[in-house]
Amino acid sequence: GYTQFLKRIAGEIGKFIKNGRYRLILNQQAQWNQIETFIRNVHGGLNPKQVSYLVANEGKRLVQCERLTVAIRRGKKTKITAISGQDVVEQRANLVRRMTTLADRVLRHGENFVYHGRIEEHWPADVQEALKEYLDESGSKLIVM
């Protein structure tokens, strides 16, 4: 009786593991489909402003974040071109100006930047200064550039 019981339990455990793997594969496939659709949509336009808004709004869902901002750097000038959920980017707004300054300084150093509640000592002084000014205005808890 015990052997039969163990065989039955082992069979159920096998089914459970197989179904879990199947769900994982389905989730991965859905993510790849979202990424493929996003890439196709982004490459469908030639207007940088239109593409920026598409990246900001569609990318927000893809990355699953609260706010996604697109900054473009041409030469030495950085400009915020799109913010998810906003129809127009007001370049004179304090938040946008400080975000532009932060993006400019991070891009100038050419390294990835991740802020998650603490200002790191190894960051360049100009980036730390721009980050403090931006945080005073926004109160963000996580920033990835």
Side-chain angles (χ1 to χ4, degrees), residues 18-29:
K18 184 178 89 175
N19 288 339
R21 288 182 183 163
Y22 181 67
R23 279 190 299 268
L24 179 66
I25 290 170
L26 286 178
N27 287 339
Q28 287 175 342
Q29 183 180 9

Side-chain angles (χ1 to χ4, degrees), residues 44-58:
L46 295 174
N47 181 350
K49 192 168 191 128
Q50 178 186 12
V51 172
S52 292
Y53 277 99
L54 184 69
V55 168
N57 292 309
E58 296 298 320

Side-chain angles (χ1 to χ4, degrees), residues 3-131:
T3 306
Q4 196 173 31
F5 174 73
L6 288 175
K7 282 183 183 178
R8 199 168 205 174
I9 291 296
E12 293 300 319
I13 290 172
K15 287 179 190 176
F16 178 78
I17 291 171
K18 184 178 89 175
N19 288 339
R21 288 182 183 163
Y22 181 67
R23 279 190 299 268
L24 179 66
I25 290 170
L26 286 178
N27 287 339
Q28 287 175 342
Q29 183 180 9
Q31 286 176 337
W32 281 111
N33 287 341
Q34 284 179 331
I35 291 169
E36 186 178 346
T37 302
F38 174 75
I39 291 170
R40 199 175 296 122
N41 289 341
V42 167
H43 286 86
L46 295 174
N47 181 350
K49 192 168 191 128
Q50 178 186 12
V51 172
S52 292
Y53 277 99
L54 184 69
V55 168
N57 292 309
E58 296 298 320
K60 177 184 168 187
R61 272 187 257 137
L62 192 63
V63 185
Q64 297 177 352
C65 64
E66 186 177 321
R67 173 101 21 170
L68 196 141
T69 302
V70 177
I72 294 179
R73 184 177 181 128
R74 289 192 177 132
K76 293 184 178 183
K77 187 173 181 179
T78 302
K79 183 178 179 183
I80 302 297
T81 56
I83 300 173
S84 61
Q86 293 187 2
D87 295 332
V88 176
V89 176
E90 183 56 56
Q91 296 295 328
R92 292 178 288 160
N94 287 340
L95 185 66
V96 174
R97 285 194 347 245
R98 290 184 175 159
M99 188 184 312
T100 302
T101 303
L102 177 61
D104 181 55
R105 291 182 182 171
V106 169
L107 288 170
R108 190 180 312 151
H109 290 284
E111 294 184 19
N112 294 339
F113 174 83
V114 179
Y115 167 80
H116 45 79
R118 284 187 24 215
I119 295 177
E120 302 289 333
E121 295 298 322
H122 67 276
W123 293 339
D126 60 338
V127 172
Q128 289 183 29
E129 178 187 326
L131 176 62

